[in-house]
Amino acid sequence: MKFQGTDAYVATDDLKVAVNAAVALERPLLVKGEPGTGKTELARQVSQALGLRMIEWNIKSTTKAQQGLYEYDAVSRLRDSQLGEERVHDVKNYIKKGKLWTAFEADEKVVLLIDEIDKADIEFPNDLLQELDKMEFHVYETGETIKAKVRPIVIITSNNEKELPDAFLRRCFFHYIRFPEPEVMKQIVEVHHPGIKEKLLTTALTQFYEIRETAGLKKKPSTSEVLDWLKLLLAEDMTPEDLKRDGANALPKLHGALLKNEQDVHLFERLAFMARSQQPRR
């Protein structure tokens, strides 16, 4: 069972090594990187490439680790008991299975994605240590132990918004998805926009990387944003000449696809103003 990438996802050699190492070690794969670098999509592509079902757990700031195991609805049970419902006698009727439970009870190997783990409370990763390590947990209301029938492939993503506990990191195989170099980016673009003209692509990517390297930029545009930008350029039938910028017009064409906050827009406007003020008067 080896991951070699897919036609729809350009995986670098080091990323393929990381996925296959995590599978071989039976450890969760912790994937970090800038937003928009394909971390979540990686899990989907691993699932597709290996022919495995994917179970996706999207983490929010309010998500608790217990929700991934199960939730016991005591309120509903109390209400049913007051109404004399027959189902009240079986506590299992009030237990809602979480994503880990679903993955553990699968008869076949599945891919379990725990997406954006750094959004949750700092204690969230620690609360899942034993469950992810031993691949089992106890249900106190029923007295049963749920143990993985087949150990799932666990992929955990993080946008690096907060540090994760050392004890959690020790149990993971770690990989950082570096931002793609221009040559790799061209391969990614070719997957999404096949047949794009070489000159337009070169001009657009040159401008894109110049924008990313602009000093003072608050949010660098990501891979997903450059793909959106190129889609717009193609829809508008723009040429390389249309993309040319000068000091007086520092904002890129259709900049709303690349610049996502007013500070960065103002930064380019200031750069344009400074360039105009430095131009010799006629």
Side-chain angles (χ1 to χ4, degrees):
M1 187 176 284
K2 291 277 187 181
F3 175 65
Q4 298 296 340
T6 68
D7 293 339
Y9 189 89
V10 178
T12 56
D13 289 341
D14 57 343
L15 180 55
K16 294 175 194 174
V17 168
V19 171
N20 292 321
V23 172
L25 291 171
E26 296 189 324
R27 295 276 191 183
L29 173 63
L30 174 61
V31 185
K32 288 188 179 183
E34 291 182 30
T37 48
K39 301 182 297 296
T40 302
E41 187 60 26
L42 170 66
R44 298 190 180 112
Q45 296 301 324
V46 169
S47 167
Q48 181 180 323
L50 302 182
L52 305 177
R53 177 164 64 101
M54 191 176 92
I55 297 169
E56 189 169 345
W57 186 16
N58 297 301
I59 307 303
K60 301 177 182 178
S61 59
T62 55
T63 303
K64 302 299 180 186
Q66 181 64 32
Q67 293 171 307
L69 308 179
Y70 68 93
E71 292 181 274
Y72 171 55
D73 191 350
V75 175
S76 291
R77 193 180 190 196
L78 175 61
R79 184 184 64 243
D80 287 350
S81 68
Q82 293 170 339
L83 296 173
E85 295 283 350
E86 192 65 31
R87 67 195 302 267
V88 75
H89 300 295
D90 188 352
V91 69
K92 290 183 179 180
N93 291 325
Y94 304 93
I95 289 179
K96 179 184 177 183
K97 297 177 181 179
K99 299 294 186 179
L100 266 72
W101 188 328
T102 303
F104 286 5
E105 72 176 0
D107 293 320
E108 76 287 353
K109 186 179 282 291
V110 299
V111 174
L112 172 62
L113 169 63
I114 304 177
D115 201 24
E116 298 190 334
I117 194 172
D118 51 328
K119 280 187 176 179
D121 183 85
I122 189 63
E123 291 303 319
F124 180 92
N126 279 335
D127 291 342
L128 287 177
L129 282 179
Q130 295 303 316
E131 289 78 6
L132 290 176
D133 197 24
K134 295 184 177 180
M135 286 288 155
E136 65 179 44
F137 63 90
H138 187 69
V139 183
Y140 295 98
E141 289 77 8
T142 64
E144 62 184 324
T145 297
I146 306 301
K147 189 167 185 175
K149 295 179 182 178
V150 183
R151 195 176 185 99
I153 296 173
V154 181
I155 297 178
I156 303 169
T157 72
S158 168
N159 287 329
N160 232 2
E161 291 181 5
K162 63 168 70 94
E163 288 296 319
L164 299 174
D166 288 345
F168 180 79
L169 294 175
R170 280 201 306 272
R171 288 166 168 81
C172 298
F173 190 93
F174 172 77
H175 181 75
Y176 183 84
I177 296 183
R178 295 189 300 273
F179 196 82
E181 297 293 329
E183 286 307 311
V184 176
M185 185 65 82
K186 284 185 177 182
Q187 295 176 39
I188 295 171
V189 171
E190 182 61 31
V191 168
H192 293 270
H193 303 297
I196 187 170
K197 292 180 180 178
E198 179 68 24
K199 191 174 180 183
L200 175 64
L201 178 59
T202 301
T203 304
L205 288 186
T206 298
Q207 191 171 127
F208 170 72
Y209 281 97
E210 287 174 354
I211 292 168
R212 275 186 57 87
E213 293 166 9
T214 301
L217 200 64
K218 184 176 181 181
K219 182 195 177 302
K220 295 181 177 182
S222 68
T223 305
S224 62
E225 286 158 346
V226 73
L227 292 174
D228 287 345
W229 186 49
L230 286 167
K231 184 177 181 178
L232 287 173
L233 297 182
L234 291 170
E236 294 292 328
D237 199 23
M238 289 197 172
T239 66
E241 289 70 29
D242 293 329
L243 297 182
K244 285 183 178 176
R245 295 186 299 160
D246 53 37
N249 185 21
L251 277 170
K253 293 289 191 299
L254 301 167
H255 63 269
L258 298 174
L259 305 176
K260 295 304 176 73
N261 59 64
E262 62 276 16
Q263 293 98 318
D264 289 343
V265 173
H266 291 160
L267 170 63
F268 280 91
E269 288 174 342
R270 286 197 302 274
L271 292 173
F273 175 78
M274 291 169 60
R276 286 195 298 270
S277 64
Q278 292 171 1
Q279 287 178 351
R281 294 182 180 179
R282 294 180 180 178

